[in-house]
Amino acid sequence: MTAARIPTAETAPPLGLRERKKLKTRLAIREATYRLIREQGYEATTVEQIAEAAEVSPSTVFRYFPTKEDIVLTDEFDPLLESELRERPADEPIVESLRVVLRRAVSLGFAEEPEVSRLRTKLMIEVPAVRSRMLESMSVTGGILCRVIAERTGREPGDLEVRTFSMGLIGALTETAAYWAERDHRDDLPTLVDRTLSMLTSGFAGADRSGKSSVPSGPGMPS
């Protein structure tokens, strides 16, 4: 059994000139946004200021990011989530596949951009517009999970069990991020993700107050 591979600068295939220019612009917009928010706060930061700091036009900002909230929240995780889950062994319980992929993604994301991870989750709990937009984007992620879980379990993506498990996971992960931020990011985020998955699969009966669980899966869960 091999570990999930999430592309990094070292493993991702080389980009063409056009793609490199687009990526450079996206990163410049994001970095300018984060810098301005740290300096003056979210509400005081305007798209016009972001465009000036990134040395692009406001229309370019909107071409890459439909809203200011999208600049804060957008990442490249959804396509990776789907591909990495599909690469896990077909006979592996879906909860274990999710545990491996999510833990690795969270660990890599925090290792590469720890301050960004903290800022995004802080804004999520402090700015209603950011939290609302995050919930919208997470519904897309839930649809991806429905497809993958359906394929793995031989069910339809629209089955009640598939939908409730997938969207329940999305809601749980959102609350995990909020919990992490509310506690000033003191906890280890990958460990919190593990606790969340344990709770979803075994419930309170299978977990102590630390979140440790000896029950690998719960009745009625996709496996």
Side-chain angles (χ1 to χ4, degrees):
M1 185 179 297
T2 58
R5 300 186 304 278
I6 293 182
T8 63
E10 292 75 24
T11 63
L15 298 174
L17 178 60
R18 181 180 177 83
E19 287 73 23
R20 290 201 302 272
K21 287 182 176 179
K22 290 173 66 175
L23 178 60
K24 183 178 180 180
T25 301
R26 287 173 63 88
L27 291 176
I29 293 170
R30 287 184 64 198
E31 289 170 1
T33 302
Y34 293 137
R35 184 174 68 255
L36 288 168
I37 290 174
R38 290 191 187 98
E39 292 173 356
Q40 60 188 30
Y42 181 83
E43 297 297 342
T45 299
T46 66
V47 171
E48 288 73 22
Q49 291 173 333
I50 293 168
E52 181 178 0
E55 298 183 344
V56 298
S57 67
S59 62
T60 297
V61 174
F62 285 122
R63 187 163 67 247
Y64 283 87
F65 302 97
T67 69
K68 187 172 72 172
E69 291 77 30
D70 287 316
I71 306 175
V72 173
L73 296 172
T74 298
D75 57 32
E76 315 306 324
F77 181 59
D78 279 354
L80 295 179
L81 172 66
E82 186 166 10
S83 63
E84 293 301 312
L85 284 174
R86 293 184 191 283
E87 287 188 13
R88 298 301 303 172
D91 59 349
E92 181 177 68
I94 188 62
V95 172
E96 184 58 28
S97 296
L98 287 165
R99 190 185 302 276
V100 172
V101 172
L102 289 173
R103 185 179 180 90
R104 179 162 173 76
V106 168
S107 297
L108 283 175
F110 184 74
E112 293 179 2
E113 296 184 304
E115 291 305 316
V116 170
S117 297
R118 294 189 183 98
L119 177 61
R120 291 171 74 175
T121 52
K122 183 173 184 289
L123 292 174
M124 186 191 78
I125 63 172
E126 293 181 351
V127 182
V130 172
R131 184 174 181 88
S132 176
R133 188 62 174 167
M134 182 179 183
L135 293 175
E136 289 181 30
S137 66
M138 291 294 271
S139 68
V140 176
T141 307
I144 292 173
L145 284 177
C146 283
R147 293 197 299 271
V148 175
I149 292 173
E151 291 176 9
R152 182 73 69 84
T153 60
R155 297 171 180 260
E156 293 295 324
D159 279 0
L160 177 62
E161 290 79 8
V162 173
R163 291 173 59 179
T164 53
F165 181 77
S166 298
M167 300 313 296
L169 174 60
I170 292 302
L173 291 174
T174 300
E175 288 306 310
T176 301
Y179 177 87
W180 185 53
E182 289 164 0
R183 291 167 59 84
D184 297 321
H185 307 101
R186 294 192 303 269
D187 301 285
D188 178 67
L189 185 55
T191 299
L192 293 182
V193 171
D194 276 348
R195 287 177 58 183
T196 296
L197 286 169
S198 295
M199 173 59 68
L200 282 177
T201 54
S202 62
F204 283 107
D208 59 23
R209 289 180 62 85
S210 69
K212 296 178 180 179
S213 173
S214 60
V215 183
S217 61
M221 292 293 182
S223 58

